[in-house]
Amino acid sequence: MSNSRLSRCAVWGLAALAVPVVAEAQQGQGVVTGRVVATGTNSPIAGAQIGVEGTVLGARTGPDGTFILTSVPAGQRTLRLIRLGYSAQSRQITVVAADTVQVNFALAQSAVQLSQVVVSATGAEVQRREQGTTVSTIAVADTVQLAAVQNFSQLVQGRAAGVTITQSAGTLGSGASIRIRGSNSLSLSNEPLLVIDGVRINSDAASSSIGVGGQSPSRLNDLNPQDIESIEILKGPAASTLYGTAAANGVIQVTTRRGRAGAAQWQAWTEYGQSENVWDFVSNYAVLDSSGARRPGGLPGVAAGTIQFGSLQEFNPLANSDIVRTGDRRQYGLSVSGGTPQATYYISGDYTDETGIYRTNSQDRVNLRANVQANVSDKLQVSANTGYLSSDLISPQNDNNGLGVLGNALLGNSNPASSSGGFLAFDPIITVPFRVGQDLERFTGSTNANYRPMSWLNVIGTAGLDVLNRTDFSVLPPNTILTSANNRIGSRTRNQRQVASYTATGTAIGTFNPLPWLQTTSTVGGQFLRENFSGTNASGFGLLAGSGSLEGLSERFAVGEVNQDERTIGFYARQQFGFNDRAFLTASVRTDANSNFGTNVGYVTYPQVEGSWVISEEEFFPQQTLMDQFRVRAAWGQSGLPPTFRTAFEFFTPTPVRVQGVEIPAFTIGGPGNVALEPEVISETELGFDAGFLGGRLGLEFTYFSKIAKDAIVARRLPPSQGLTATQLSNIGELANWGTEWLLNAQLWTRPNFALDATVNFSTLNQNLNSLREGVEPIIFGLGGDSQRHTPGYPMGGYWGAPYTFEDTNNDGLLSRSEVTVSDEQEFLGSPEPARVLGLTLNASFLRNFRVSSLIDYRGGHKLLNSTEEFRCGFGNCQALNDPDASLFEQARAIAATSSSGTIAGYVEDADFVRLREVSLTYQLPVSFANSLRFRGASF
């Protein structure tokens, strides 16, 4: 090896320990300007990224497609240009000191994006062609302009293969859960990791300490879609190894908007909409016998001859209540961006005022963001990104709740003259003064430094925090709801929480070309993570009339405090070999220590290996127009999920006891701990290919994945004789998920006056609980306590119930209880996870200024428990147990569910659906007319 090569390796080794401060000799500098347009139409392309290889210099094109790069070192330079949806370009230029170079680009649309870059766990940008895994990218700037997207969940839904989002409810402010390639854990969270501008942030799917029946806000929807530039989704351990512990469920990377060099660009937007209940509320029913007496649920008795049918009584209490209304949404926003080639900025503000369809449901939100970026030199780029949210949410009483709106109606009665007016206990309009809500203040900030002291060495540092202060509250004025003594005297609860997440990451990357056909990239780095959760609880009863504070309480005060501190330190390394820029082999490893691991567990190591080969660029690949791009890829990797706080450690809970009439302090065992408790380690294998057809007009991606979790954490029952808690968490399970993903991008028609493109993503999913440790019984849970199970040999969380048969022996169209037979054995009824998911996006542009966009979503191959109807039949007010016109199937499942050996089998229903999620028509004001109004552009 040459002395110069040895010198470089020595410096590279030192760079792993400290940031180099030695710089190359100062060179002369020049300026590069230009314009980027679309091939064929010559229309400007905004948002294209231009970078100078070997430096940190970069810029984005403005609305007119222009860009400018200053402080470009003189000499031969390579410009790299990328834009999602277009073919990437690289161009060699000569920069002359103190001179300006004009470079224009014409980009052709392309359905294949092998040269598109994504942000890696190290903070560096990596081209897709180098990766052995698939990464889904959502161009938010384009998506938001085409549809009235209200929150982050809607932004992601239906736009990425293998990603499923389920709303917890339809009410305003309710959260959503995200599953990427199925569920990985029986006991831990299955939510993906969320990273914004390099900083991990809190994304709890259920974030509230006061229940209203099952609904809860999600921190995921705190993000403002208007401030997001792009979203990248890493779908499993094969892609997320370098993110370490907590990344096994996948990673969602969010990049917020950046400014562009040039004069200040102001953008204003406003939105108004309405939300209405489109569901016909079901009625309550009862049989009236021949004497006119009400006999709820009496239809089986009519069939058996014990009740003489007179008539059917039907009443819909919600149709006669004022609790449901038309909700509305108002949004106002303003942003400004611009700057110089040396420093750019983006500043925005957004206010949203919404009311839901229930009179007890509303939300006000203020989002603010300020991002700045500076090219200190051609070697150093720094940026700072800050976001602030203020939210006031009022949630309705609903779901499984004695004060719930729907519960009181659906479990009510058919008699409008009853004291409750047909409701279960009361008309829920009286709950309007009962306020349950959440006030939130949230700040997210990050700083990033990208330093390239030499052309072959890049050092990246990122630090940031995410702090949210949350107040969960409820105020029930006295003498408002008189259903119980506690409600009559009023109550007040105020729980304050602070959740703070801190991230610090440092990475050094060295790139070498030891041979003309060989490129090597070596990466080392480390990361520190901390999440601190603290809070206080206060509540009581006997609220003074006219008071809404804790000081107005007079009895049964209760206080509490919670503190949690979780920390992770990790180190990682990555080595990549590139062969002629078309074949790549990469090996990575990360090792983590986490404060939630058992005391007998030290560092846990996660390895990964991946390969990618762009075969279509080889000389032996036939030159043809049908298939002009083809790449194969493969990857294997591991990642983890840490145990939850304090489950690995024994701890005690204080409690007062009386000894001989005297109260003294005592302790009970709060948790037995487990010194050997390890993280759940999930291994994933991913295989696939990318193909381009017809000159980039058609792109196809295929992926097969297989995930296995061999250390699944399960709550194991403990013998009562041990005197400990009922369960202890242990690594005793093995789970498996496997399936396929397909992505098809097609530019169906491209003309100046008409263009049509389509995107189809389709995925399949299979799940299985391979095993539980010997002696561990199937885990039973779910609505009713036993509707779902984790059973070896079956999908996780599958529905189970006893099958039943029925026969209308006298052919009278009615079933008696003796004509329905319920089995003594339980059987598997189906999985709640969709086995097939499809998303179809269509965009059409016509007459130059009009655009139509639509999104269709399909899910199939799964089941859902219709617990609402099962509950109603249990109360005797459903149609199946009262209406002689009810089908035999409806009668049979109701009788089976309400029999002495009741079964839910009839209410586990096929959950397949096709939904038109979005459709929009956008009109772009002609540029000349917009300019006459002193606007650069406007759309409706």
Side-chain angles (χ1 to χ4, degrees), residues 7 77 132 169 303 315 458 537 609 652 655 728 735 764 780 922 924:
S7 299
R77 298 295 169 185
F315 180 65
N458 192 18
N537 307 326
V609 62
F652 301 91
T655 183
Q728 179 188 52
L735 292 71
T764 64
I780 302 174
T922 302
Q924 186 77 32

Side-chain angles (χ1 to χ4, degrees), residues 118-189:
V118 296
V119 179
S120 68
T122 65
E125 292 184 340
V126 179
Q127 291 190 65
R128 290 178 183 272
R129 63 167 51 229
E130 303 174 21
Q131 296 182 300
T133 59
T134 181
V135 177
S136 292
T137 300
I138 301 174
V140 180
D142 297 334
T143 303
V144 170
Q145 292 178 2
L146 296 178
V149 175
Q150 299 178 19
N151 54 50
F152 186 84
S153 301
Q154 293 179 1
L155 191 59
V156 177
Q157 179 68 68
R159 292 185 170 91
V163 180
T164 304
I165 295 182
T166 303
Q167 295 289 139
S168 63
T171 53
L172 178 63
S174 58
S177 63
I178 297 182
R179 295 293 180 268
I180 301 178
R181 293 179 176 173
S183 300
N184 295 313
S185 179
L186 301 180
S187 304
L188 305 179
S189 171

Side-chain angles (χ1 to χ4, degrees), residues 318-520:
L318 272 180
N320 295 274
S321 173
D322 292 329
I323 190 67
V324 178
R325 65 183 176 187
T326 297
D328 60 24
R329 169 185 169 88
R330 297 176 176 86
Q331 183 181 28
Y332 313 93
L334 180 67
S335 71
V336 59
S337 63
T340 68
Q342 290 77 27
T344 60
Y345 61 88
Y346 170 83
I347 302 172
S348 74
D350 186 283
Y351 172 71
T352 305
D353 176 20
E354 293 185 81
T355 59
I357 66 167
Y358 299 116
R359 296 190 180 278
T360 50
N361 191 197
S362 63
Q363 185 174 30
D364 293 335
R365 292 163 57 100
V366 174
N367 275 285
L368 303 176
R369 174 156 291 278
N371 292 347
V372 295
Q373 180 173 290
N375 294 324
V376 180
S377 70
D378 64 302
K379 303 180 186 304
L380 178 62
Q381 182 185 79
V382 296
S383 63
N385 312 288
T386 59
Y388 170 78
L389 165 70
S390 176
S391 171
D392 298 318
L393 171 67
I394 301 297
S395 299
Q397 301 290 322
N398 219 342
D399 295 348
N400 191 18
N401 184 345
L403 301 179
V405 175
L406 292 180
N408 266 284
L410 299 176
L411 303 181
N413 60 71
S414 60
N415 184 12
S418 65
S419 59
S420 62
F423 290 93
L424 175 64
F426 51 81
D427 186 335
I429 193 68
I430 69 172
T431 65
V432 170
F434 187 9
R435 295 175 61 84
V436 179
Q438 183 179 96
D439 294 335
L440 182 76
E441 305 287 331
R442 183 172 190 173
F443 175 83
T444 303
S446 67
T447 59
N448 178 276
N450 189 339
Y451 179 51
R452 188 179 287 271
M454 304 176 195
S455 60
W456 56 272
L457 179 61
N458 192 18
V459 180
I460 302 173
T462 300
L465 75 165
D466 173 42
V467 180
L468 62 94
N469 293 308
R470 194 184 87 206
T471 301
D472 304 329
F473 65 88
S474 69
V475 181
L476 175 56
N479 302 314
T480 300
I481 302 176
L482 310 178
T483 56
S484 68
N486 285 337
N487 289 337
R488 184 177 295 110
I489 63 176
S491 62
R492 167 66 165 162
T493 299
R494 182 181 175 89
N495 300 335
Q496 291 187 299
R497 300 284 187 269
Q498 183 180 80
V499 183
S501 301
Y502 306 91
T503 302
T505 306
T507 305
I509 305 170
T511 303
F512 311 100
N513 293 92
L515 297 170
W517 50 269
L518 177 64
Q519 181 185 63
T520 66

Side-chain angles (χ1 to χ4, degrees), residues 2 92 95 189 202 208 300 350 367 383 385 464 478 768 772 785 862 906 930:
S2 67
Q92 296 283 340
V95 179
S189 171
N202 182 281
S208 180
D350 186 283
N367 275 285
S383 63
N385 312 288
N768 190 63
L772 292 173
H862 61 305

Side-chain angles (χ1 to χ4, degrees), residues 862-886:
H862 61 305
K863 301 287 185 177
L864 185 67
L865 173 59
N866 188 348
S867 186
T868 299
E869 190 64 10
E870 181 207 4
F871 257 72
R872 282 168 50 79
C873 290
F875 275 69
N877 69 342
C878 67
Q879 186 176 8
L881 293 180
N882 295 281
D883 188 353
D885 292 332

